[in-house]
Amino acid sequence: MRKIIVLLLLLLLHSYAEESVAQKLEKAPIAYYGANLESVLYSIDDKQKLELKLAKNYPEVYKTFIGWADYKQKLLNERLDQAPEKYRHVFEKRNAAMEQHGFFLVHNLVLVEKIYDKNSKTWISPKPEEARKSLFYMAYVGVDISKDSTWKISQRLISLLPNDDNQILGNVGKKRIFFLDGFSQECDDLTESSTLENLHYHPVRLKYDVPENPAVKIREKMQTLVEQGDYESAAVLADSADLSPRSKIIIKILNRDYEFVENKDSTMYYLDNYNDFYYVDKLDSVLDRAVFSMYEKDPYCDIVEKVALYKKPVPIYTKEDNANLNSSIDIGRPTLKGDFPNYDPLLYVGINLNFSMEPWVFGIEWTFHVLESRCDSCGKLDIGIQGLLGFLWLKSKYIEGVVFGNLGSASFVYGDAYIRYGVGTYFDLLFPSYIGKPVSSTKEKKRYGVRLKLGLLNMNNTKRGRAQGILPYVSLGFTWRWVWGMESTFEPSYRPRKYNLTDRSTELDYVDID
């Protein structure tokens, strides 16, 4: 019960936080500064708790509360008897919509550090007997009805401080300024006068008037039409019935508005069943049953099934994580440019192991050049190992392009080592693409593909045959990739709920909670 009331406070409190503590001190008869040691909420309906705790410890407060609640209930009944039927109807619907309503007593036990002296406008230390102060607040929670020039419906709520079994506000024991009818925000000290100007005062008893909502009657008429199967007439009322986005889509489906229904942008809010206000009528439920009945008889397009079955959207992959590990092996034929009197090109083999942190690629490469020699004593195999630094300049769903540079060491078998350097580019054609696919339980993904590589490397050998120059090459090979994670979102035909409770708090209306 307490949590429900505090939830209502969280939705509405900002509307009542316009008065500063400095303003409140100008008219308040007394104020206490200190920490709240305990907050207890008593309901008029909880007789056992009232008698065991309140009546026993505070008998005068108990009698006052019981007498006040009886008086207020009689006054409320008299007003209801005199009110026109439409106001009684609204009153009953609002009260039925609230999970908790009735008369409550709030008891705050405060450890007092300072008391405000109104005459000197200063804070003074309390007397020993004033060090602990019990503050009691009586309040009605629920729908109220009154009349001045006309009948008026209002909503009454209470704001509560947290205690050990309720941490919604999360500041038990924090220091505040307490008044006979409310309290301030947290206040660490009283040394700065400007602090009080910026500190908000919160009344314990809250009230806001409820304007008439013309959509209530329209929704009742629309509900009757839908129940009768007259969807065309119901659609005429749709714009004035404060329908949720989902209900607007359903009425279009029921009327077979193909142009609307088949447009994914029009139906993307099919799970959003929020109205501008809360309603107790059954219109949304009746529309849900109607579209489900249509689905069972004639699901004329995919969206009918989605809406009727309340199918949750399927998250899909949108992007690979920037980090991945890939390896490749490629084979090609080099050409020789430079001083190679004893050699002809024969075979190039490259093996790569790369780590990518897009757009950068870091790797190590082993290269093998097999040359055809014209002398028996000439070396035929050049082996190199070099680092690779690359930049990803092309990325699409299936194709990636990287430019890179190499630096390392190489030598002919039984030859002298020399510094190896080079540049190149490669293109990967990768499968499968996970982009746009439903999210699976496996976090890591594997991709396979074909690699086309173009580049050139230097060669510098003078032992057992002279080979000095550059080796341009074109190779074709295979690549394997391990993707460590994927980013995902919901499919484009769905959007999350457009509203949340805090967005609508200024228009919170229990005229009609569903």
Side-chain angles (χ1 to χ4, degrees):
M1 174 176 63
R2 181 187 173 99
K3 290 184 178 181
I4 293 169
I5 295 172
V6 175
L7 176 60
L8 297 176
L9 161 68
L10 293 176
L11 293 171
L12 287 165
L13 195 55
H14 70 278
S15 299
Y16 297 89
E18 297 175 355
E19 187 174 11
S20 71
V21 168
Q23 292 171 325
K24 181 63 179 176
L25 285 172
E26 291 293 327
K27 51 188 178 182
I30 195 166
Y32 305 92
Y33 175 71
N36 185 57
L37 297 178
E38 183 182 28
S39 291
V40 182
L41 179 67
Y42 298 96
S43 169
I44 196 69
D45 298 323
D46 193 347
K47 303 297 183 184
Q48 184 178 7
K49 185 177 179 180
L50 283 171
E51 293 172 1
L52 288 176
K53 293 187 177 182
L54 190 65
K56 181 179 178 181
N57 299 320
Y58 306 96
E60 292 301 320
V61 175
Y62 171 77
K63 291 177 183 178
T64 302
F65 177 55
I66 296 297
W68 173 82
D70 287 342
Y71 168 75
K72 289 293 184 180
Q73 185 63 62
K74 289 177 184 177
L75 184 62
L76 188 59
N77 292 340
E78 289 175 4
R79 289 173 180 168
L80 280 172
D81 290 339
Q82 299 168 8
E85 183 180 355
K86 78 169 186 175
Y87 289 97
R88 292 200 302 270
H89 179 63
V90 171
F91 180 94
E92 292 166 359
K93 290 177 72 175
R94 290 180 69 86
N95 255 358
M98 294 191 69
E99 293 186 40
Q100 295 290 341
H101 52 81
F103 297 94
F104 296 89
L105 178 74
V106 182
H107 175 204
N108 286 338
L109 179 61
V110 179
L111 181 62
V112 180
E113 290 188 14
K114 297 288 183 180
I115 299 177
Y116 187 69
D117 181 48
K118 199 171 180 69
N119 294 325
S120 63
K121 295 186 178 181
T122 59
W123 293 92
I124 61 176
S125 299
K127 299 175 182 178
E129 63 271 18
E130 296 176 325
R132 285 176 179 251
K133 181 67 177 178
S134 283
L135 298 175
F136 295 94
Y137 311 93
M138 295 183 294
Y140 169 65
V141 175
V143 188
D144 200 2
I145 187 167
S146 59
K147 183 182 180 182
D148 39 34
S149 59
T150 183
W151 288 97
K152 185 183 297 182
I153 297 291
S154 57
Q155 187 77 47
R156 293 186 180 273
L157 303 168
I158 58 176
S159 56
L160 302 173
L161 287 172
N163 60 13
D164 290 341
D165 62 355
N166 189 334
Q167 300 293 329
I168 291 182
L169 298 183
N171 49 13
V172 175
K174 298 293 183 179
K175 294 178 183 179
R176 301 170 182 269
I177 299 172
F178 293 86
F179 301 91
L180 298 181
D181 55 358
F183 51 86
S184 76
Q185 292 174 289
E186 295 174 27
C187 179
D188 292 332
D189 61 71
L190 299 169
T191 56
E192 295 290 338
S193 58
S194 60
T195 301
L196 302 183
E197 295 287 348
N198 299 321
L199 206 62
H200 289 308
Y201 158 75
H202 300 311
V204 170
R205 299 200 289 194
L206 309 174
K207 175 188 174 183
Y208 72 99
D209 294 330
V210 178
E212 288 192 47
N213 186 353
V216 174
K217 292 295 182 184
I218 295 173
R219 289 174 65 90
E220 290 176 355
K221 293 177 184 177
M222 189 173 177
Q223 179 178 326
T224 301
L225 292 171
V226 175
E227 289 173 334
Q228 294 172 350
D230 189 355
Y231 305 137
E232 186 175 351
S233 298
V236 176
L237 302 175
D239 291 339
S240 305
D242 185 26
L243 294 181
S244 67
R246 173 179 171 81
S247 292
K248 290 178 182 178
I249 293 168
I250 291 177
I251 201 68
K252 294 287 188 180
I253 291 174
L254 295 176
N255 280 283
R256 296 180 179 271
D257 187 338
Y258 295 101
E259 184 178 352
F260 178 93
V261 172
E262 292 177 359
N263 184 342
K264 289 185 176 181
D265 290 337
S266 300
T267 59
M268 63 176 61
Y269 297 109
Y270 70 96
L271 292 181
D272 187 342
N273 55 7
Y274 285 165
N275 306 98
D276 288 340
F277 297 94
Y278 296 84
Y279 295 95
V280 291
D281 59 53
K282 302 301 179 184
L283 175 58
D284 295 318
S285 300
V286 168
L287 286 168
D288 280 339
R289 289 197 296 271
V291 77
F292 184 77
S293 178
M294 172 172 281
Y295 161 71
E296 290 185 314
K297 296 175 183 176
D298 179 21
Y300 61 87
C301 68
D302 292 342
I303 189 63
V304 177
E305 179 181 0
K306 250 168 141 178
V307 175
L309 299 183
Y310 238 109
K311 276 192 171 182
K312 300 297 181 184
V314 178
I316 58 174
Y317 291 120
T318 56
K319 183 180 180 295
E320 291 182 7
D321 279 357
N322 291 336
N324 65 74
L325 184 69
N326 70 81
S327 62
S328 68
I329 181 169
D330 51 287
I331 300 173
R333 181 178 174 87
T335 56
L336 306 179
K337 300 294 183 180
D339 188 8
F340 296 90
N342 300 313
Y343 294 102
D344 292 316
L346 186 61
L347 182 66
Y348 160 83
V349 178
I351 299 174
N352 279 80
L353 181 63
N354 295 339
F355 171 74
S356 296
M357 181 59 75
E358 293 181 2
W360 299 103
V361 180
F362 310 91
I364 187 169
E365 183 178 45
W366 293 267
T367 54
F368 304 88
H369 290 91
V370 181
L371 304 179
E372 186 175 0
S373 65
R374 301 192 186 96
C375 63
D376 294 336
S377 61
C378 295
K380 298 182 179 180
L381 176 61
D382 175 86
I383 301 176
I385 179 170
Q386 51 269 345
L388 178 146
L389 176 63
F391 182 81
L392 180 69
W393 65 275
L394 172 66
K395 186 176 179 68
S396 66
K397 196 172 183 180
Y398 294 101
I399 298 176
E400 294 186 3
V402 173
V403 293
F404 63 88
N406 297 114
L407 182 64
S409 176
S411 72
F412 273 76
V413 176
Y414 306 118
D416 295 330
Y418 60 90
I419 295 175
R420 163 66 52 84
Y421 53 84
V423 294
T425 184
Y426 64 78
F427 299 89
D428 288 342
L429 179 62
L430 298 165
F431 297 95
S433 172
Y434 295 98
I435 307 303
K437 301 290 181 62
V439 172
S440 66
S441 58
T442 306
K443 185 177 181 180
E444 297 82 12
K445 302 296 179 187
K446 295 179 182 178
R447 300 186 73 184
Y448 307 93
V450 178
R451 173 169 293 183
L452 173 65
K453 187 159 67 170
L454 303 89
L456 57 87
L457 293 167
N458 74 308
M459 183 172 285
N460 185 17
N461 180 69
T462 57
K463 186 176 181 180
R464 301 182 63 188
R466 191 167 69 254
Q468 295 176 305
I470 59 173
L471 287 78
Y473 64 90
V474 177
S475 65
L476 190 66
F478 300 96
T479 181
W480 301 262
R481 173 174 296 187
W482 291 266
V483 181
W484 291 334
M486 301 284 294
E487 295 180 15
S488 64
T489 188
F490 290 111
E491 57 182 295
S493 61
Y494 166 77
R495 289 292 182 275
R497 297 187 187 279
K498 292 168 62 178
Y499 314 107
N500 56 48
L501 289 174
T502 54
D503 289 335
R504 297 177 300 148
S505 58
T506 55
E507 300 184 43
L508 184 67
D509 189 350
Y510 281 88
V511 168
D512 317 289
I513 297 186
D514 192 2

